[in-house]
Amino acid sequence: MVVSIIGLGLIGGSMSLSLKTKGFASSVIGVESNPEHAARAIALGLADFCLTLEEAVSQSDLIILATPINASEKILPQVLDLVNGQVVFDVGSTKLVLCQLVAQHPKRGRFVATHPMWGTENSGPEAAVKHAFAQKATVICNADESDDDALQLVKDIYALLEMHLVYMEADAHDMHVAYISHISHITSFALANTVLEKEREEDAIFELASGGFESTVRLAKSNAAMWVPIFMQNRDNVLDVLNEHISQLRKFKSCLEKENYNYLQELIENANGIRRILK
């Protein structure tokens, strides 16, 4: 099968490597707005060659949209205008805006809205990882709006990648990822800024930052060009979870101010309950 991947960064590049390794993609056509990324993607074997959007769609059986979500808003309607029976799916971190955008498109059925729940703090073609998606979850949103054959193909692809499927409506997905993913990034960005603001000794940060700090702040290295549009699209849900997070931080602050260490212990022990879910 000839696969076009629009955006050959972390997710798109990893998808290419996985589909090639599994023998699903006979060839991968890249679509890249950044010429340097395009050249690097070809050199790394993420794409056999790169074409314009129109050329790529016309020569493909499957189109994967893996751009930042603000770019996906512009590109998805263009892709659906161009397809003639091919299947299109995206891999973006928010779903409601994109699903609403093409809800009335005459070729809406050829599109499957998905979100593979995997990623790292790295970006660009060099960030691509082979076998990245195994044993992770993929969310498929508004499945009843996709044609049966398009949905089945995408399900088969994710099964081939050894992912398990979760079905949600787009609005529910965006609410849940605000709590599970988006707040983690905001917290990491804020913690990094706190340390950079207050700890002026870079050597001290480097020498003393052990595993706990490093793992907590790792996400602060994530690409702003990707995350600002995510926060923009999911603003209301992110604000809800951010308000709750600030409320929890105030409880810890109050315990220390009032020397209420019994309640502090209670807060920590309550947080330990996450072990029931994350083992």
Side-chain angles (χ1 to χ4, degrees):
M1 181 170 285
V2 178
V3 179
S4 277
I5 300 181
I6 306 168
L8 289 162
L10 171 67
I11 303 298
S14 298
M15 190 73 67
S16 173
L17 290 176
S18 296
L19 293 178
K20 281 187 164 189
T21 301
K22 296 286 187 178
F24 178 87
S26 58
S27 65
V28 172
I29 302 171
V31 180
E32 256 297 341
S33 60
N34 184 326
E36 292 183 5
H37 279 191
R40 193 75 188 122
I42 293 171
L44 291 168
L46 308 183
D48 297 297
F49 49 91
C50 289
L51 297 175
T52 66
L53 182 67
E54 293 79 6
E55 292 168 336
V57 172
S58 69
Q59 297 181 33
S60 302
D61 304 300
L62 172 71
I63 299 99
I64 301 173
L65 183 55
T67 60
I69 56 172
N70 55 329
S72 296
E73 287 182 67
K74 300 174 183 177
I75 296 171
L76 179 58
Q78 297 175 28
V79 172
L80 289 180
D81 288 343
L82 293 167
V83 297
N84 184 26
Q86 303 99 310
V87 174
V88 184
F89 73 89
D90 84 304
V91 293
S93 295
T94 59
K95 296 269 80 82
L96 183 60
V97 169
L98 209 57
C99 286
Q100 289 177 335
L101 181 68
V102 297
Q104 302 306 316
H105 196 285
K107 299 176 186 174
R108 168 63 181 89
R110 306 317 296 161
F111 169 62
V112 182
T114 84
H115 180 196
M117 299 297 294
W118 173 83
T120 74
E121 70 276 20
N122 302 313
S123 59
E126 291 85 359
V129 178
K130 193 181 292 187
H131 307 303
F133 305 102
Q135 311 310 313
K136 305 298 182 183
T138 286
V139 184
I140 293 181
C141 290
N142 297 18
D144 59 344
E145 296 176 15
S146 301
D147 293 341
D148 289 344
D149 66 309
L151 181 61
Q152 189 59 55
L153 176 61
V154 172
K155 289 166 62 176
D156 290 345
I157 289 169
Y158 282 122
L160 185 68
L161 299 181
E162 301 175 57
M163 304 190 80
H164 67 273
L165 297 177
V166 179
Y167 297 91
M168 290 182 184
E169 292 302 296
D171 55 349
H173 165 275
D174 287 5
M175 183 270 290
H176 289 303
V177 294
Y179 278 86
I180 302 304
S181 171
H182 300 173
I183 190 61
S184 302
H185 284 80
I186 285 183
T187 301
S188 191
F189 293 137
L191 179 58
N193 283 337
T194 300
V195 172
L196 291 171
E197 180 67 27
K198 294 298 184 181
E199 178 55 84
R200 300 299 185 181
E201 296 289 338
E202 291 190 9
D203 287 346
I205 297 175
F206 180 78
E207 295 292 345
L208 301 180
S210 61
F213 175 80
E214 188 173 3
S215 61
T216 304
V217 84
R218 173 182 64 83
L219 296 176
K221 295 182 277 186
S222 299
N223 188 351
M226 183 179 82
W227 278 96
V228 170
I230 290 172
F231 295 145
M232 288 171 62
Q233 280 201 9
N234 209 20
R235 174 181 177 273
D236 291 345
N237 286 317
V238 172
L239 282 173
D240 283 346
V241 65
L242 193 54
N243 284 331
E244 177 58 33
H245 187 48
I246 290 169
S247 173
Q248 293 293 329
L249 289 173
R250 285 190 177 125
K251 290 180 183 179
F252 280 88
K253 181 173 181 282
S254 177
C255 285
L256 292 171
E257 288 174 339
K258 298 176 181 178
E259 300 185 10
N260 187 350
Y261 300 122
N262 288 332
Y263 187 38
L264 180 62
Q265 180 167 337
E266 184 180 327
L267 288 172
I268 294 172
E269 289 175 347
N270 184 66
N272 291 160
I274 201 71
R275 289 175 180 160
R276 297 192 310 271
I277 306 164
L278 301 178
K279 301 184 181 189

